[in-house]
């Protein structure tokens, strides 16, 4: 082992310079050689992530140490208990999965989205504050980049990288995520951008500073990069910013980004814009936002409300 | 000896990254995630010295970067420095049980801060002051909890491999 401090420092400087060169290479726009490396790393580790992700839920507890004459019998009983416990856990997990699938199909049915069901097998594990998830479906299942990902509660995110067996999703609460959004029950025009902010609430920026917006109003995707009509969240606070060019409001997302399991990747939108049809109905006596009259004509503006921090 | 050592450490790094993303990042822990990869890099530095520490940190950081969505290379810089500093502390920490925990806690804080500062320099919007304030204490605490498992285990493995090779 080399412990000459001067040579060590030289090696350190060299490694840091190489890493910083990689950073500048990665910062340049366009597809670089690093994207190929990224795809390669994800492709090689994908099957292992799938394997590990599948067994994560099945970690049982280890039996205690009993010694003496009854040890054999205790062991046998312990094995039996373990088996039964595992069966119970498996059934619970299956129930949960079924519930989540039912919710997912409820949402995708309402929006007429054709989805590929998938499971989250990994979360982003960087040193920073990235909100990404890895799904157990990939290009072999017909997944391509930029597909919208939903679950039974609403918008989860967007596919950013696909390998043959897995795909990576940029979650909608990641700070680099911007989703084109539209207020429920508003005439065409009240659109804006919903920015992710990690663990903090999302922020809706409405393009019109005079846009009427109230607490409790819900936001759905506008439909450009993301498919239209997917519920994003509910307005919790409206910021009063006189003289500002845009209206800002905090949005509590419908999806619990920290506990994702069953999701659906939207492969195709069968009908057009479902407008507010995907939002769960409110109690009839307390609907402060009646649906707008049906739009006449197919004048759906295809303005791109999405801006993205990364490539 | 070198080939075996490099292979074993590389295998451990890949395993740590996989456990990190499939298990630890999915635990419903408040605040942040434990960073097994960082703890492993510190362990390699503490047990094997600065050269192995920084090389392991560089490789591990690069792998983490490639799997993530932020700029490639930043994690490599941070973990490379982390492994180097841990290696410098190798002699101070020897035969102490408490000192490795302090080193892991301190380096965890330093690494997260440095990473957030570097990503902010590249225009990454994620490492905000609010996000840091929320995550820093939690991740350092989780890493300190991981340390008494990871550091002695790696030390024992190294001893075993060294003696086996000599026999």
């Amino acid at each position: 082992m080399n412990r000459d401090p001067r040579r060590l420092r030289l090696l350190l400087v060299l490694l840091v310079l190489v890493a910083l060169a990689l950073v500048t290479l990665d910062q340049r726009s366009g597809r670089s050689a690093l994207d190929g490396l990224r795809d390669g790393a994800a492709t090689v580790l994908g099957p292992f992530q799938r394997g590990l992700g599948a067994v994560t839920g099945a970690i049982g507890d280890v039996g205690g140490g009993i010694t003496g004459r009854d040890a054999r019998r205790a062991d046998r009983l312990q094995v039996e208990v373990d088996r039964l416990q595992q069966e119970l856990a498996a059934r619970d997990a299956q129930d949960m999965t079924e519930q989540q699938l039912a919710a997912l199909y409820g949402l995708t049915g309402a929006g007429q989205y054709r989805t590929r069901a998938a499971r989250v097998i990994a979360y982003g594990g960087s040193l920073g504050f990235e909100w990404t998830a890895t799904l157990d479906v990939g290009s072999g299942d017909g997944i391509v980049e930029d597909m919208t990902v939903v679950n039974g509660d609403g918008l989860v995110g967007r596919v950013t990288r696909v390998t043959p067996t897995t795909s990576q999703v940029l979650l909608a609460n990641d700070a680099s995520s911007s989703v084109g959004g539209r207020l429920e029950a508003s005439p065409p025009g009240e659109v804006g951008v919903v920015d992710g902010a990690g663990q903090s609430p999302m922020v809706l920026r409405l393009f019109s500073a005079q846009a009427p917006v109230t607490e409790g109003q819900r936001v759905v995707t506008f439909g450009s990069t993301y498919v239209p009509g997917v519920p994003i969240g509910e307005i919790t606070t409206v910021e009063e910013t006189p003289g500002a060019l845009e209206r800002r409001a905090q949005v509590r997302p419908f999806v619990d980004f920290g506990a994702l399991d069953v999701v659906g990747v939207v492969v195709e939108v069968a009908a057009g814009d479902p407008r507010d049809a995907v939002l769960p109905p409110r109690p009839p006596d307390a609907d402060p936002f009646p649906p707008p009259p049906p739009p006449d004509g197919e004048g759906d503006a295809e303005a791109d409300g999405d801006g993205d921090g990364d490539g | 000896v070198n080939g075996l050592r490099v292979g074993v450490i590389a295998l451990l790094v890949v395993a740590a990254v996989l456990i990190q993303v499939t298990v630890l990042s999915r635990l419903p822990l408040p605040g942040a995630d434990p960073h097994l990869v960082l703890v492993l890099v510190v362990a390699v530095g503490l047990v094997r010295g600065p050269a192995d520490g920084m090389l392991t940190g560089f490789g591990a950081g690069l792998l983490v970067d490639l799997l993530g969505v932020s700029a490639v290379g930043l994690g490599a810089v941070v973990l490379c420095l982390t492994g180097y500093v841990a290696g410098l502390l190798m002699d101070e920490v020897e035969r102490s049980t408490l000192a490795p925990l302090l080193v892991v806690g301190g380096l965890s804080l330093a690494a997260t801060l440095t990473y957030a500062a570097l990503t902010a320099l590249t225009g990454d919007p994620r490492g905000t002051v609010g996000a840091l304030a929320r995550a820093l204490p939690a991740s350092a605490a989780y890493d300190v909890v991981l340390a008494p498992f990871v550091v002695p285990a790696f030390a024992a493995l190294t001893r075993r491999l060294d003696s086996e090779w000599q026999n």
Side-chain angles (χ1 to χ4, degrees):
Chain A
M1 196 192 319
N2 187 350
R3 300 204 65 185
D4 173 7
R6 281 215 337 252
R7 294 188 61 173
L8 276 177
R9 257 172 268 149
L10 190 67
L11 181 60
L12 180 72
V13 169
L14 206 70
L15 286 177
V16 168
L17 285 180
V18 168
L20 290 179
L22 288 176
V23 175
T24 51
L25 199 66
D26 200 31
Q27 287 289 297
R28 284 199 300 205
S29 53
R31 239 186 118 73
S32 66
L34 285 173
D35 288 306
L37 264 182
R38 285 192 133 141
D39 290 347
T43 306
V44 170
L45 291 185
F48 295 100
Q49 288 187 23
R50 283 178 62 123
L52 266 174
V55 297
T56 308
I59 300 168
D61 33 8
V62 185
I66 305 168
T67 49
R69 235 176 32 191
D70 292 334
R72 279 179 68 92
R73 187 159 167 270
D75 277 352
R76 232 179 36 240
L77 286 174
Q78 187 61 49
V79 167
E80 182 74 359
V81 168
D82 284 351
R83 193 181 61 80
L84 290 172
Q85 268 176 355
Q86 269 173 24
E87 245 172 48
L88 262 179
R91 185 163 307 167
D92 281 354
Q94 201 179 338
D95 277 355
M96 267 181 62
T97 304
E98 274 167 17
Q99 278 171 25
Q100 292 185 47
L101 269 176
L104 174 67
Y105 290 141
L107 183 142
T108 56
Q112 302 261 299
Y113 311 125
R114 228 163 56 72
T115 53
R116 179 77 173 76
R119 286 201 103 120
V120 170
I121 49 170
Y123 270 107
S126 82
L127 289 169
F129 306 94
E130 292 173 9
W131 283 85
T132 61
T134 307
L135 308 183
D136 65 349
V137 292
S139 56
D141 307 279
I143 310 297
V144 294
E145 254 180 51
D146 280 344
M147 278 180 170
T148 302
V149 182
V150 301
N151 73 2
D153 298 322
L155 180 72
V156 170
R158 171 170 69 84
V159 175
T160 47
R161 189 184 305 154
V162 188
T163 78
T165 53
T166 61
S167 42
Q168 188 182 50
V169 180
L170 182 73
L171 303 181
N173 70 328
D174 185 272
S176 77
S177 161
S178 304
V179 184
R182 181 175 62 73
L183 282 172
E184 71 171 316
S186 58
E190 301 309 349
V191 293
V193 171
V194 182
D195 293 324
Q199 299 190 54
S200 312
M202 299 163 119
V203 175
L204 168 68
R205 294 182 284 124
L206 286 165
F207 296 145
S208 154
Q210 281 84 42
V213 49
T214 30
E215 283 165 28
Q217 214 167 358
R218 298 173 294 183
V219 186
V220 299
T221 53
F222 172 64
S224 47
T225 305
Y226 294 79
V227 300
V230 181
I232 301 173
E234 192 178 73
I235 306 277
T236 50
T237 335
V238 180
E239 289 175 23
E240 294 301 334
T241 45
L245 288 174
E246 52 183 21
R247 199 87 195 266
R248 289 166 66 93
Q250 292 199 342
V251 176
R252 183 184 58 76
F254 290 130
V255 168
D256 181 359
F257 292 103
L260 294 170
D261 186 14
V262 175
V263 300
V265 184
V266 181
V267 183
E268 192 193 335
V269 184
D273 189 341
R275 308 209 60 86
D276 294 342
V278 189
L279 287 167
R282 288 179 184 276
D285 55 323
D287 193 350
F289 314 109
D296 42 346
E298 292 300 307
D300 264 11
E302 261 304 301
D304 194 343
D306 290 50
D308 238 280
D310 61 341
Chain B
V1 188
N2 239 343
L4 176 80
R5 198 179 72 203
V6 170
V8 166
I9 293 181
L11 212 65
L12 286 177
V13 165
V14 173
V17 170
L18 283 173
I19 293 173
Q20 176 79 49
V21 297
T22 56
V23 182
L24 296 178
S25 293
R26 294 173 78 190
L27 294 177
L29 293 170
D33 303 323
H35 279 300
L36 179 62
V37 180
L38 182 138
V39 179
L40 177 67
V41 168
V42 174
V44 174
L46 285 178
V47 173
R48 304 223 48 119
D52 283 14
M54 70 174 124
L55 285 167
T56 307
F58 183 84
L62 201 58
L63 186 57
V64 169
D65 284 341
L66 286 173
L67 291 177
V69 289
S70 292
V72 170
L74 294 178
V77 171
V78 170
L79 286 185
C80 179
L81 290 170
T82 305
Y84 176 74
V85 175
L88 293 184
L89 297 170
M90 180 189 192
D91 297 327
E92 332 290 327
V93 167
E94 229 170 9
R95 309 213 175 281
S96 161
T97 43
L98 194 65
L101 305 191
L102 292 176
V103 173
V104 166
L107 286 179
S108 166
L109 287 175
T112 314
L113 269 175
T114 315
Y115 187 82
L118 286 177
T119 49
L121 281 180
T122 64
D124 194 308
R126 297 185 185 90
T128 58
V129 176
L132 269 173
R134 209 187 283 248
L136 263 183
S139 62
Y142 299 144
D143 292 350
V144 170
V145 171
L146 282 179
F149 301 97
V150 177
V151 180
F154 181 73
L157 182 74
T158 305
R159 270 199 307 275
R160 182 102 177 251
L161 284 175
D162 283 353
S163 67
E164 226 159 70
W165 206 260
Q166 277 156 18
N167 294 338

